[in-house]
Amino acid sequence: MNVKYSFIVPVFNRPQEIQELLESFLSMKGDIPFEIVIVEDGSTIPSEEIIKSFNSQLNILYLKKTNSGPGDSRNYGMHRANGEFLLILDSDVVMPEHYVLAVDAYLKQNPVDCFGGPDAAKANFSDIQKAINFVMTSFLTTGGIRGKETSVKEYEPRSFNMGISKKAFLKTGGFGKIHPGEDPDLSIRIKNEGFKIGFIKEAYVYHKRRISWGKFYIQVNKFGKVRPILNSWHPQTASIVFWFPSVFTLGLFASLLLLIIGYTFAIKLYGLYLLLIFILSSVQNKSIKIGVLSIRATLTQFLGYGFGFLKSTYYIRVLAKQPTKVFPELFFD
């Protein structure tokens, strides 16, 4: 069967996520043919039995390979996919029923070769998941750079919800070895090759991050470390926006020191900002508890990213060290 869209999903030891994702595909509306390419990235807890239970209802191509990271696994799947467009998903997302229709309608009116959409939280997500989703998507925290039509910088699709034409994939070679950061790197290279990038507001996914506070800090700390590396690879993308979490972090510690000597104005400004986060999240999520958790998520995000960005800037920009030597945990062989 000819397919227009191939969904590419790398998975590592998360069969339960694959089950929830495939269950959501069963409700997909429309008669546009698509396939789901699942790439088992060296898992010791495979998804094969779960996938077999869906084979009679969905068009699934199941591939196995040795572990080499999500970027390389996506490339592996994209090379073997049959679709004209390759739709990249993380294994921890759940699909809304109109997703394919939204993508297809947009591409008919806007001939782009790369696109992305927002992430959202479903009503049955945990309070922590909703709080983290808020701070990862709010203009007040990330500036809208993770999937908003209005953003403080030029939009770069992210691999939890990203589409690429087969033509653009073959031209650029796909994802690199860095992780995280492989998705903005590819977005930049796609643009540099002259391809157009679009944003599809209606093509959102429910991003069910399975995460704790500690894991969230590690994740955003890696995001912070990656950005100076990307800026060194693509100097034209450097922006003052990326300094905001570091400035926030340093300013917070300075405010606490000033508070000790009786100067309260600076810490009051931070309190006002966090109060705004609390109010907006509480209203948006209809929950005071999630509003409180959003304050913690904001501080975790800014401190994790800010410290990571400063450390990476020092080693990469000041000492001119090789990223693979300083931060081997960010690269796959």
Side-chain angles (χ1 to χ4, degrees), residues 286-299:
K286 299 181 176 63
S287 168
I288 292 176
K289 181 181 178 182
I290 296 174
V292 173
L293 291 174
S294 295
I295 294 176
R296 178 173 180 177
T298 298
L299 293 173

Side-chain angles (χ1 to χ4, degrees), residues 81-286:
N82 298 298
E84 177 186 349
F85 283 92
L86 311 168
L87 308 180
I88 318 301
L89 302 175
D90 282 351
S91 62
D92 60 354
V93 303
V94 177
M95 305 301 293
E97 60 186 12
H98 67 276
Y99 185 91
V100 174
L101 292 176
V103 169
D104 197 63
Y106 178 89
L107 292 178
K108 286 178 179 178
Q109 299 295 323
N110 305 274
V112 300
D113 284 277
C114 179
F115 53 88
D119 56 353
K122 291 192 77 173
N124 63 352
F125 283 15
S126 72
D127 290 341
I128 292 178
Q129 287 172 327
K130 290 177 181 178
I132 290 176
N133 179 79
F134 174 82
V135 303
M136 292 292 280
T137 59
S138 174
F139 191 87
L140 289 175
T141 50
T142 62
I145 64 176
R146 290 185 61 83
K148 298 290 182 181
E149 193 169 11
T150 55
S151 173
V152 296
K153 65 176 296 297
E154 192 165 352
Y155 175 60
E156 296 169 352
R158 294 298 200 271
S159 56
F160 65 84
N161 182 13
M162 180 180 187
I164 310 169
S165 70
K166 195 70 172 281
K167 178 174 61 175
F169 165 64
L170 294 174
K171 181 69 174 180
T172 59
F175 294 95
K177 296 291 186 179
I178 193 169
H179 177 73
E182 72 276 18
D183 35 8
D185 171 59
L186 177 56
S187 297
I188 295 165
R189 289 189 284 112
I190 286 174
K191 183 183 177 184
N192 289 344
E193 291 291 347
F195 294 108
K196 292 182 179 180
I197 294 178
F199 173 76
I200 309 178
K201 184 177 181 180
E202 294 78 14
Y204 56 82
V205 297
Y206 299 112
H207 203 172
K208 194 172 186 177
R209 299 177 177 89
R210 301 188 188 279
I211 201 164
S212 64
W213 291 117
K215 290 179 180 178
F216 183 49
Y217 180 89
I218 292 171
Q219 181 186 60
V220 294
N221 185 255
K222 286 184 177 181
F223 288 160
K225 290 176 181 176
V226 159
R227 183 49 69 170
I229 298 172
L230 296 180
N231 289 346
S232 68
W233 291 352
H234 310 287
Q236 77 279 11
T237 65
S239 170
I240 193 173
V241 170
F242 300 130
W243 282 91
F244 286 176
S246 297
V247 173
F248 178 96
T249 299
L250 295 175
L252 178 60
F253 282 97
S255 298
L256 293 172
L257 291 175
L258 290 171
L259 182 62
I260 294 174
I261 62 174
Y263 186 79
T264 62
F265 179 74
I267 200 66
K268 287 179 180 178
L269 288 179
Y270 276 90
L272 183 62
Y273 172 72
L274 294 175
L275 177 62
L276 186 59
I277 294 289
F278 165 75
I279 293 172
L280 186 59
S281 178
S282 296
V283 172
Q284 181 174 310
N285 291 287
K286 299 181 176 63

Side-chain angles (χ1 to χ4, degrees), residues 3 5-11 35-41 59-66 68-89 164-166 169-170 173-175:
V3 296
Y5 299 108
S6 295
F7 289 91
I8 314 296
V9 188
V11 60
E35 67 176 353
I36 305 167
V37 181
I38 298 176
V39 184
E40 195 86 72
D41 185 24
N59 180 17
I60 303 175
L61 174 61
Y62 179 54
L63 305 171
K64 299 180 184 178
K65 55 181 286 298
T66 57
S68 59
D72 188 64
S73 296
R74 294 182 189 112
N75 293 343
Y76 187 88
M78 289 191 285
H79 274 298
R80 292 157 179 79
N82 298 298
E84 177 186 349
F85 283 92
L86 311 168
L87 308 180
I88 318 301
L89 302 175
I164 310 169
S165 70
K166 195 70 172 281
F169 165 64
L170 294 174
F175 294 95

